[in-house]
Amino acid sequence: TKKQSRQLSAEEIREIEHEKTHYPYTQAVGLEALKIVQKHQGWVSDESLLAVAEYLDIPVADLEGVATFFNMIFRRPVGKNVICLCDSVACWMLGCDDLKAQITSRLGIEYGETTEDGEFTLLPVPCLGACDKAPVLMVGRETHRHVDPENLDQLLNELQ
Ligand code: FES
């Protein structure tokens, strides 16, 4: 069955229109529009992606490409706290695999999974640009540097 787009909310449209004033080409607003939708909906469903493509009058495939390229655009429902664990080389050398194992054993989720209570999603992400402070993870907009088993435990306590 063919997917239908959904109606963008007035608020989403208002924010997208505002972004448009910053960009010379409508095409360039695509990523910002996806971020706006994600801010309001938590993630970008197919219906939302179609709605944005229609609204901006850009090809769905182009927008899909943007969404795929920027891995902070979630194309599946995510938990309230999205833990993005850097698994690039510096973080890997300094033990991100152990941190991942710690999260998996404590929360029972693997990469790409969400806890049943909808609280946490765990995702691997490429270098977050703080290699000298590895290992690094992000929860929401917060970056956590020099993560170790103790402060990871503490962080999860605070979030839970
Ligand atoms: Fe993890 Fe760069 S490798 S922040």
Side-chain angles (χ1 to χ4, degrees):
T1 57
K2 202 172 168 294
K3 291 260 186 190
Q4 296 281 315
S5 66
R6 72 172 174 85
Q7 199 75 36
L8 293 174
S9 72
E11 186 67 4
E12 286 169 323
I13 288 175
R14 196 184 59 75
E15 291 181 26
I16 291 169
E17 283 303 316
H18 178 73
E19 283 304 323
K20 269 177 153 178
T21 64
H22 300 311
Y23 292 92
Y25 310 107
T26 308
Q27 288 256 4
V29 184
L31 176 61
E32 296 311 316
L34 294 176
K35 286 188 196 160
I36 288 165
V37 165
Q38 179 160 298
K39 188 181 81 183
H40 288 280
Q41 314 294 327
W43 65 294
V44 180
S45 64
D46 290 345
E47 291 79 2
S48 291
L49 190 104
L50 280 174
V52 171
E54 280 171 13
Y55 186 76
L56 295 176
D57 195 21
I58 59 181
V60 177
D62 287 10
L63 199 59
E64 187 85 62
V66 167
T68 308
F69 186 77
F70 290 92
N71 58 347
M72 294 299 197
I73 297 294
F74 308 134
R75 294 286 279 117
R76 284 194 287 167
V78 288
K80 203 171 93 204
N81 302 291
V82 182
I83 304 171
C84 296
L85 184 61
C86 172
D87 69 349
S88 289
V89 66
C91 290
W92 175 76
M93 286 196 307
L94 288 172
C96 69
D97 283 353
D98 294 341
L99 299 175
K100 191 252 158 200
Q102 187 178 341
I103 294 168
T104 297
S105 87
R106 179 157 167 179
L107 301 177
I109 46 173
E110 298 287 343
Y111 279 138
E113 293 181 350
T114 299
T115 53
E116 264 165 35
D117 61 6
E119 286 294 311
F120 293 96
T121 297
L122 177 62
L123 295 173
V125 292
C127 184
L128 290 166
C131 312
D132 57 329
K133 311 229 170 26
V136 180
L137 62 79
M138 270 184 93
V139 182
R141 285 160 185 244
E142 252 346 277
T143 304
H144 301 269
R145 302 169 176 85
H146 296 304
V147 181
D148 61 25
E150 288 76 45
N151 61 32
L152 176 59
D153 241 352
Q154 204 182 323
L155 174 66
L156 295 175
N157 287 342
E158 283 162 18
L159 294 170
Q160 247 172 346

